[in-house]
Amino acid sequence: MNRDKIIIYDFGSQYTQLIGRRLREMRFYSEILPFREAKKLLSQAKEQAFVRGIILSGGPASVHDVGAPAIPHEIFQLDIPILGICYGLQLMVHLLGGKVETSDNREYGPSEFHIKKNSPLFQDIPQTSTVWMSHADKVIRIPPEFVTLGTTPSSPYAAIGHTRKPLFGLQFHPEVNHTQYGKDILRQFARDICQMKPNWTMKNFAKQKIEEIRQITGNEKVLLGVSGGVDSTVTAKLLHEAIGNRLSCVYIDTGLMRHNETQVIHERFRKILKIPLHVVHAGHVFLAALQGVVDPEQKRKIIGRLFLEEFRKKSLELGHHEFLAQGTLYPDVIESVSVRGPSDTIKSHHNRVREVMELVEAGKVIEPLKELFKDEVRRLGFALKIPREALMRHPFPGPGLAIRIIGEVTRERVLLLQKADAILLEELKRAKYYDRVWQAFAVFLPIHSVGVMGDRRTYDNVVALRIVKSKDGMTANFAQLPFSFLGKVANRIVNEVKGVNRVVYDITSKPPATIEWE
């Protein structure tokens, strides 16, 4: 396999993984590393030979902060093209003799970019275009031997370049979709400046990860908690390809799964994937603990704690495992805690609490998918020859139906929601909409409304339908499906699910709403 690569040093930007994603989309191989590892490159002459380019990501810090993330200035003396983005630009300027000033006014949003000087970075890009800004500090003087390549109304140094060396800096973010020609800029940096060949594929990624897993685990055993979803299924298959029967997969039935889900998942692992699956039936434990609880965050904490307890019990029963594996994806990482750089935390994530790390005696965790988005994981699954039915399954939350039942979780409400949800998914598949939307599910609302069924007045529950379209789950739009389809689903739910007399459709996008209700 070709070992040429672009290294992305992460300074904690929420967008860092998007840089890697854009390069992968164009089939350029890249590796994301913590900024602290940059100094290692200086002493690794053999490694330098394979590094065709370096990208310095953005980040929330200021170069003037005490202990601000930085790299050795000697990195810029290497004969390797470097592109600094946002904080990466400011750090480059700061280290090479320019000046960065802290601003009281953060610039966030679209801006008009004007190219002022020809550069291979902007080959065939229009003279004026829209770019996306997200920064507080600003460059007020560029380093010696640098020139201005482009400006925006508020940034006189929106793009800079060295007069002799392949060193470039951008104040804006080319990796986000809001930057009009951002992908073209990254392509030109990788292809024309770094001389990279577009030969990266998901098959390459699978081979690389399998090799990495073998090197990391040696002859030790690995424990993996699976949900049956796309992420954990692909993780299980990848690990099984790498270490075979040294992998132990554990599935906890919380009683909060979809209709017949446990049976379907067990059969898929056993018969199709040929991976042994240890099933723990613990629905009664979870439902008892959730009695009377209405706060969504409290539900998550209870479910997370009980999951860990049941998982811990099963792991002790199965014997010692040196490693714990998780099917964590990039959106999970970015919404919880950065594993590479000093990214700001957005929210807690019950699968990533500290106790998980303590489940395995050695405290070692393997997350082979943590740099991927959901659609990329699906492509990886196809490369691993996982059946389409398993890969195209819609995302399902870790806490299960508990966060799709607004208010208290009871057995009766779970059964009601399972039936309503099953009808929605069945009709989506029948109408061939299932694979055309990102996620679809029913939500139980703890309100009653008046209805009439036959000659009898009813006062029953309300179910909401949530169907969205998305590419990676970071943003989403509600699916504009035909009213005739929605009417058919609503009619079936009201007629077939006892206790429901009204169905509503959620037409809110993300943002401002989240995809899930809780």
Side-chain angles (χ1 to χ4, degrees):
M1 183 171 22
N2 188 354
R3 295 178 61 187
D4 287 350
K5 60 189 173 185
I6 291 175
I7 291 180
I8 303 166
Y9 286 121
D10 180 20
F11 292 93
S13 171
Q14 306 272 333
Y15 301 138
T16 298
Q17 303 289 344
L18 281 175
I19 303 171
R21 179 190 174 93
R22 297 297 174 241
L23 293 172
R24 289 195 298 269
E25 287 173 344
M26 297 180 285
R27 299 183 60 198
F28 297 113
Y29 179 62
S30 66
E31 291 181 3
I32 299 174
L33 299 175
F35 70 90
R36 296 178 185 88
E37 293 196 14
K39 60 184 178 183
K40 293 182 182 178
L41 186 62
L42 295 174
S43 59
Q44 297 173 341
K46 290 183 179 179
E47 181 68 7
Q48 289 176 23
F50 297 111
V51 179
R52 305 304 295 268
I54 294 172
I55 295 179
L56 310 178
S57 84
S62 165
V63 294
H64 299 296
D65 290 344
V66 176
I71 60 174
H73 72 274
E74 290 88 353
I75 289 287
F76 298 100
Q77 307 305 318
L78 299 176
D79 189 23
I80 299 175
I82 298 178
L83 172 65
I85 296 174
C86 197
Y87 179 85
L89 157 74
Q90 295 162 10
L91 181 63
M92 180 187 293
V93 169
H94 180 68
L95 293 176
L96 297 181
K99 189 172 183 181
V100 178
E101 185 178 80
T102 300
S103 173
D104 293 330
N105 299 315
R106 176 173 176 171
E107 186 182 16
Y108 182 83
S111 189
E112 192 174 81
F113 176 65
H114 300 277
I115 296 174
K116 295 298 183 181
K117 188 175 180 61
N118 290 336
S119 168
L121 202 59
F122 305 128
Q123 190 71 32
D124 299 326
I125 290 175
Q127 203 74 19
T128 301
S129 63
T130 300
V131 297
W132 187 260
M133 292 288 193
S134 179
H135 66 101
D137 289 2
K138 61 181 180 181
V139 176
I140 61 172
R141 188 181 71 239
I142 57 178
E145 296 191 85
F146 274 78
V147 294
T148 300
L149 300 178
T151 65
T152 67
S154 57
S155 294
Y157 305 114
I160 64 173
H162 197 280
T163 55
R164 295 183 297 104
K165 300 177 181 179
L167 304 178
F168 304 89
L170 303 174
Q171 184 59 77
F172 57 88
H173 288 272
E175 68 271 28
V176 301
N177 286 325
H178 305 291
T179 294
Q180 201 171 0
Y181 295 96
K183 194 169 180 178
D184 298 282
I185 293 171
L186 290 174
R187 179 187 293 110
Q188 268 130 227
F189 178 72
R191 183 192 63 195
D192 300 336
I193 297 172
C194 300
Q195 298 293 300
M196 284 282 288
K197 294 180 180 178
N199 55 11
W200 183 90
T201 66
M202 270 299 172
K203 285 186 178 180
N204 295 148
F205 181 86
K207 289 178 182 177
Q208 175 199 342
K209 285 299 174 184
I210 288 170
E211 184 179 331
E212 282 181 12
I213 291 166
R214 287 172 179 163
Q215 290 176 352
I216 291 169
T217 60
N219 294 318
E220 301 292 343
K221 295 171 68 177
V222 178
L223 187 65
L224 170 68
V226 301
S227 66
V230 178
D231 312 337
S232 63
T233 299
V234 173
T235 301
K237 180 66 173 175
L238 195 62
L239 286 162
H240 196 253
E241 290 281 325
I243 63 174
N245 60 10
R246 287 190 284 114
L247 170 68
S248 297
C249 293
V250 176
Y251 172 89
I252 309 293
D253 183 352
T254 64
L256 304 168
M257 319 306 288
R258 288 190 178 116
H259 182 62
N260 286 337
E261 184 129 332
T262 299
Q263 181 182 344
V264 170
I265 291 168
H266 192 203
E267 290 296 297
R268 178 179 297 147
F269 268 71
R270 187 171 63 88
K271 291 185 176 180
I272 301 174
L273 300 178
K274 309 297 184 185
I275 302 174
L277 183 65
H278 302 277
V279 179
V280 178
H281 298 281
H284 60 289
V285 176
F286 285 82
L287 288 173
L290 290 168
Q291 187 174 353
V293 179
V294 298
D295 179 70
E297 189 61 23
Q298 192 64 21
K299 290 182 194 176
R300 289 177 183 271
K301 288 179 179 178
I302 290 171
I303 293 168
R305 174 177 57 79
L306 289 176
F307 180 90
L308 290 169
E309 287 177 5
E310 295 298 323
F311 194 74
R312 192 190 306 273
K313 288 178 189 175
K314 192 63 181 179
S315 68
L316 291 173
E317 181 185 316
L318 293 172
H320 174 72
H321 290 72
E322 184 73 13
F323 294 90
L324 171 71
Q326 295 189 115
T328 314
L329 302 195
Y330 172 57
D332 300 327
V333 173
I334 207 63
E335 291 185 356
S336 52
V337 58
S338 175
V339 294
R340 295 191 178 278
S343 176
D344 289 341
T345 297
I346 295 178
K347 69 175 183 179
S348 64
H349 193 276
H350 82 279
N351 284 331
R352 298 186 59 79
V353 294
R354 185 175 298 276
E355 291 155 328
V356 170
M357 306 300 187
E358 299 168 356
L359 287 173
V360 180
E361 186 178 316
K364 297 175 183 177
V365 181
I366 299 172
E367 296 173 297
L369 310 182
K370 64 186 174 186
E371 293 173 11
L372 302 182
F373 291 80
K374 181 76 73 173
D375 60 311
E376 294 180 305
V377 174
R378 287 193 169 108
R379 294 206 303 274
L380 175 59
F382 282 120
L384 292 169
K385 300 187 185 324
I386 296 175
R388 180 181 178 83
E389 181 184 356
L391 294 176
M392 299 312 294
R393 180 185 185 272
H394 288 180
F396 190 68
L401 297 181
I403 60 169
R404 293 178 180 175
I405 294 174
I406 311 302
E408 184 181 7
V409 179
T410 65
R411 178 171 172 76
E412 293 72 25
R413 289 180 173 184
V414 170
L415 292 173
L416 182 153
L417 187 57
Q418 283 177 334
K419 292 176 183 176
D421 191 69
I423 289 170
L424 170 61
L425 299 184
E426 181 183 321
E427 290 299 332
L428 278 169
K429 290 174 182 177
R430 182 176 293 163
K432 302 192 184 307
Y433 289 136
Y434 186 86
D435 288 348
R436 293 164 59 184
V437 299
W438 173 264
Q439 194 171 358
F441 54 90
V443 180
F444 176 91
L445 304 184
I447 56 176
H448 290 81
S449 71
V450 175
V452 178
M453 301 186 78
D455 295 324
R456 186 171 62 86
R457 178 185 174 91
T458 63
Y459 193 58
D460 280 333
N461 300 291
V462 178
V463 165
L465 304 181
R466 180 72 158 147
I467 310 174
V468 299
K469 291 189 173 184
S470 177
K471 185 174 183 181
D472 51 31
M474 299 291 278
T475 60
N477 295 315
F478 73 91
Q480 300 185 39
L481 299 182
F483 288 143
S484 57
F485 170 79
L486 297 174
K488 183 178 181 180
V489 173
N491 189 58
R492 277 197 62 189
I493 290 174
V494 169
N495 282 299
E496 298 177 31
V497 183
K498 186 178 180 180
V500 179
N501 70 352
R502 190 177 300 271
V503 176
V504 297
Y505 190 50
D506 183 349
I507 60 169
T508 320
S509 296
K510 175 188 178 179
T514 53
I515 294 177
E516 296 287 347
W517 275 46
E518 286 197 340

